[in-house]
Amino acid sequence: ESTLNHFRSVSELLEIAQSGSTAKARRYAVFELNNVSLLGDKSKQEIANSGGVQVLIQLAAGADDEVMQELAIEALSSVLTLSTIQLDFVSQGGVATLCALLCSTNGNVAYQALCGLACLADHCSSNRLAILSERGLDDLVQVFDKASSSEKLRAVWSRVVCSLAGCPEACPAILGHAPLLDRLVECVAGGTSSPSSSSFSDNGLRQLQLYALRALDRLTKRDKQAVLQRGRLVTVLLTDEGPLLALSGLVEEESQTIALNLLCLFAQDSEGSAHLLLHSDLLERLLSLAESPSVQLQVAKMVLLLMAQERNRPRLISLGIRDFLMELKRNCSQHTCADVHLVAESCLRLLKH
């Protein structure tokens, strides 16, 4: 058993993993199973056909051997990339094991468990509902809070929540889970929310923000009020490092589009517009955003939505709305000039009433 190698059959490796005479042999058998799973889909299916899914679930759930647990969850995370294995995995109670391992003190175990959940959540609605049925949202909040300095873990986390939000049956549970919604806003904040996240790469932050924004976009289509109640989201969207005004100039186009749509939702809602108007530099931020010709018209329409609510006009006047509109008209591109002028004139007319 001390000389295990790739020539061992999958069934032999599984037998040794369960009943090998030494801990070293059992661990090495699981290590080899993981290597086999990396050979391709055919090898992953062979592991499943040999009863390997149940064996790996049992080994990953075992708390008496942390090394074995880490090896087993890595192998599980690998085989779960094959969708044909997932039904068997879910039916054998594997989701409960993954959710429990999110709370592991071993960072790699938690990360591999999260990767396994990402594979499940990406695939189908029944998998997403299985995650919810195991109180997966609570466990997701816990693992997020423990991973403040882990770029890769938080990126996978936002991907999981985004996939869950794509399931209509799952949306009510997510919308009713305030701590999870707050963590989504923190993802959108990117590097502004935590000093430890300042070391995240530009690409890592953009991915984190994009998945979180997609999730929020999907959730607003089900119940926008639950999202609009998070006034901090306005602050996050308007920060220099946010998805609209990133100083690096590496703003993701899809992120920018979703962020603008979210701001428009705030602008047209009475309570949401109040959150916007709390920002004394709101018009300066919007003017900076309007330097991009592609969003000038949407910025103008956002201001019109604010102006359409009479109670907002005194505050907008105090913020300098007239100067803002004149500057917006001066700076608009030739392509958007006529439309921007039309919207700006509509705003100015409202000021006269």
Side-chain angles (χ1 to χ4, degrees):
E1 292 177 355
S2 62
T3 59
L4 292 172
N5 55 55
H6 290 298
F7 297 102
R8 292 271 187 173
S9 69
V10 167
S11 58
E12 287 180 299
L13 291 173
L14 287 169
E15 183 178 352
I16 296 170
Q18 294 178 92
S19 55
S21 60
T22 66
K24 182 178 179 181
R26 293 192 295 274
R27 291 170 182 172
Y28 198 79
V30 179
F31 173 78
E32 285 297 328
L33 283 169
N34 189 31
N35 287 338
V36 170
S37 73
L38 298 176
L39 297 177
D41 290 350
K42 185 177 179 180
S43 297
K44 293 171 186 174
Q45 192 63 59
E46 183 182 0
I47 292 173
N49 293 343
S50 302
V53 171
Q54 184 60 43
V55 172
L56 291 173
I57 290 173
Q58 291 172 350
L59 294 174
D64 56 332
D65 188 337
E66 186 175 313
V67 175
M68 175 68 83
Q69 186 178 62
E70 186 169 356
L71 291 168
I73 192 60
E74 285 182 2
L76 270 179
S77 178
S78 176
V79 299
L80 285 176
T81 59
L82 188 60
S83 59
T84 55
I85 293 175
Q86 294 177 10
L87 179 62
D88 185 35
F89 175 83
V90 172
S91 67
Q92 296 190 53
V95 175
T97 297
L98 292 183
C99 289
L101 292 178
L102 291 179
C103 303
S104 171
T105 56
N106 182 318
N108 188 49
V109 169
Y111 172 71
Q112 294 296 339
L114 192 60
C115 288
L117 287 176
C119 293
L120 295 174
D122 285 347
H123 181 58
C124 65
S125 293
S126 61
N127 285 351
R128 297 167 198 146
L129 294 175
I131 293 171
L132 292 184
S133 70
E134 296 295 342
R135 296 180 65 252
L137 298 184
D138 292 339
D139 294 323
L140 284 168
V141 168
Q142 287 191 48
V143 73
F144 182 90
D145 290 344
K146 290 193 305 181
S148 60
S149 61
S150 175
E151 173 183 323
K152 65 178 185 178
L153 194 149
R154 285 201 165 184
V156 177
W157 185 94
S158 61
R159 172 184 153 200
V160 171
V161 178
C162 181
S163 293
L164 292 175
C167 176
E169 297 86 352
C171 283
I174 299 173
L175 288 163
H177 202 290
L180 190 91
L181 292 177
D182 290 339
R183 270 61 173 188
L184 275 176
V185 174
E186 191 171 335
C187 285
V188 178
T192 68
S193 60
S194 169
S196 59
S197 65
S198 62
S199 61
F200 286 8
S201 67
D202 285 335
N203 184 62
L205 286 176
R206 290 201 306 275
Q207 185 182 36
L208 186 71
Q209 289 175 330
L210 178 57
Y211 278 122
L213 284 165
R214 282 177 179 171
L216 289 169
D217 184 50
R218 291 171 177 177
L219 292 169
T220 56
K221 289 177 172 59
R222 308 298 300 182
D223 179 6
K224 67 179 182 180
Q225 289 305 319
V227 176
L228 295 181
Q229 288 171 6
R230 317 212 108 62
R232 181 169 176 262
L233 180 58
V234 172
T235 303
V236 165
L237 292 173
L238 293 173
T239 57
D240 287 334
E241 296 82 2
L244 287 172
L245 296 162
L247 294 177
S248 64
L250 297 173
V251 177
E252 190 79 37
E253 184 176 350
E254 184 183 350
S255 292
Q256 186 180 68
T257 299
I258 296 173
L260 278 168
N261 289 339
L262 287 171
L263 282 180
C264 283
L265 284 176
F266 275 97
Q268 70 185 23
D269 181 80
S270 58
E271 292 185 15
S273 63
H275 289 305
L276 277 168
L277 294 174
L278 285 174
H279 293 265
S280 59
D281 61 348
L282 171 65
L283 297 182
E284 295 173 25
R285 294 283 172 174
L286 292 180
L287 205 56
S288 296
L289 180 59
E291 291 176 4
S292 173
S294 64
V295 301
Q296 286 171 348
L297 182 57
Q298 195 162 358
V299 169
K301 288 180 177 178
M302 188 189 310
V303 174
L304 182 58
L305 288 170
L306 288 169
M307 289 291 299
Q309 301 171 63
E310 187 174 356
R311 72 173 192 170
N312 292 338
R313 294 171 198 168
R315 174 60 172 164
L316 285 166
I317 291 171
S318 71
L319 293 176
I321 187 63
R322 287 187 175 89
D323 291 339
F324 168 85
L325 291 169
M326 298 306 294
E327 189 71 18
L328 185 63
K329 289 168 65 176
R330 280 194 295 269
N331 294 343
C332 64
S333 67
Q334 185 176 359
H335 177 68
T336 62
C337 185
D339 291 331
V340 171
H341 274 248
L342 186 63
V343 175
E345 288 300 324
S346 297
C347 290
L348 289 169
R349 282 196 297 272
L350 286 171
L351 285 175
K352 297 176 182 178
H353 293 296

